[in-house]
Amino acid sequence: MEERIRERIDYYRQIINSRSIYRDAFQKQKENSLYNTAMIPVMIEFVIWVIGQTQQQGIKRLYFLSRDGYQMFLVAKDLCRKMNIDIEIRYLNVSRYSMRVPEYAMLGEKCLDRIFIGGIDVTFRRIMKRAALTDEEIHDVAKECEMDNELDRMLNYQEIMILKSKFADNRKLLAYIQRHSKIAYPNAIGYLRQEGLLDDIKYGLVDSG
């Protein structure tokens, strides 16, 4: 296994050595790993493509999303500086959860489409945590669907959809969601305003997904 890994590293090193832009990025890495040698060319080419699309569309500012966008953010800043490209590169330090909760109040009942979704190790408690409910509120809501003794049981997709239908018209759950969403909204919109997303400028969001 170790021999195969060394062979792969050697192969990717040949790719890295083929272009100075790869070599410069590789030399900045503290760890000479298979991950770094494999990912550097891919990441750089992706960022080059993003910058090219940005120029074509006349976009003047790019936001790279946390957390997996941080390395690409660094690459983009470095490339724009070296190539004298007039695009402002920024990093948006928010989680998807922190943006999702403030959105619920604007969606009304449709917010359940964002909350009752599948995933890995999904439980009733985790679904309610997506909605930002407190532990006390979770127990309160769980009693209405007889889930108070199964808060941490893993649920399959079909069970999640059944729960979603049960809560489609549940005023109590929707009231809890609305309250937490409205509390979270000012901080969220304040951060976005601070970072310039409400500026009168054409910008783009870059997500590795």
Side-chain angles (χ1 to χ4, degrees):
M1 180 63 71
E2 290 184 1
E3 180 62 28
R4 289 177 60 187
I5 292 175
R6 284 196 294 270
E7 289 176 358
R8 298 303 295 176
I9 289 177
D10 289 340
Y11 171 72
Y12 288 118
R13 277 180 180 169
Q14 292 176 24
I15 297 175
I16 288 172
N17 289 330
S18 68
R19 294 188 64 183
S20 61
I21 195 171
Y22 298 160
R23 291 197 301 272
D24 291 345
F26 183 75
Q27 289 170 359
K28 293 178 181 179
Q29 301 301 313
K30 295 180 180 179
E31 184 182 356
N32 182 9
S33 65
L34 177 59
Y35 173 81
N36 283 335
T37 53
M39 284 301 299
I40 284 172
V42 175
M43 186 181 300
I44 290 176
E45 291 301 326
F46 174 70
V47 172
I48 289 174
W49 177 82
V50 167
I51 290 174
Q53 292 293 308
T54 301
Q55 291 176 307
Q56 289 180 22
Q57 297 178 39
I59 295 173
K60 295 299 182 182
R61 182 187 296 167
L62 285 178
Y63 291 92
F64 287 81
L65 303 181
S66 62
R67 292 167 294 185
D68 48 354
Y70 185 68
Q71 292 294 333
M72 291 181 288
F73 159 73
L74 296 177
V75 170
K77 286 195 71 171
D78 194 46
L79 287 177
C80 286
R81 179 181 58 81
K82 288 180 177 178
M83 301 168 69
N84 197 28
I85 296 174
D86 186 23
I87 297 175
E88 185 180 2
I89 306 297
R90 293 194 182 186
Y91 180 68
L92 202 57
N93 191 18
V94 295
S95 67
R96 287 154 181 77
Y97 175 78
S98 69
M99 292 292 103
R100 193 177 296 130
V101 173
E103 180 190 34
Y104 293 156
M106 296 181 284
L107 293 175
E109 293 179 7
K110 291 183 178 180
C111 71
L112 299 182
D113 294 337
R114 308 289 180 92
I115 296 169
F116 287 87
I117 55 176
I120 300 173
D121 299 337
V122 178
T123 64
F124 184 86
R125 189 190 303 275
R126 290 192 177 185
I127 291 173
M128 293 298 107
K129 286 295 184 180
R130 289 174 184 161
L133 269 64
T134 65
D135 289 337
E136 183 180 350
E137 291 166 347
I138 291 172
H139 283 279
D140 188 22
V141 172
K143 290 177 183 177
E144 299 200 4
C145 62
E146 299 180 343
M147 291 289 293
D148 45 323
N149 293 320
E150 298 184 87
L151 294 180
D152 298 305
R153 179 175 67 82
M154 301 301 176
L155 304 174
N156 60 41
Y157 183 77
Q158 184 178 2
E159 290 175 310
I160 295 169
M161 292 301 102
I162 291 172
L163 279 173
K164 178 184 174 183
S165 65
K166 285 184 178 180
F167 283 106
D169 299 314
N170 189 287
R171 296 296 102 189
K172 179 178 289 186
L173 174 60
L174 291 172
Y176 283 146
I177 294 171
Q178 286 278 320
R179 186 175 71 187
H180 289 294
S181 180
K182 289 177 179 178
I183 291 172
Y185 181 83
N187 285 337
I189 200 67
Y191 176 74
L192 297 180
R193 181 180 289 110
Q194 168 192 298
E195 296 303 311
L197 276 87
L198 302 185
D199 293 351
D200 186 18
I201 184 175
K202 192 174 183 180
Y203 62 80
L205 300 176
V206 186
D207 189 353
S208 62

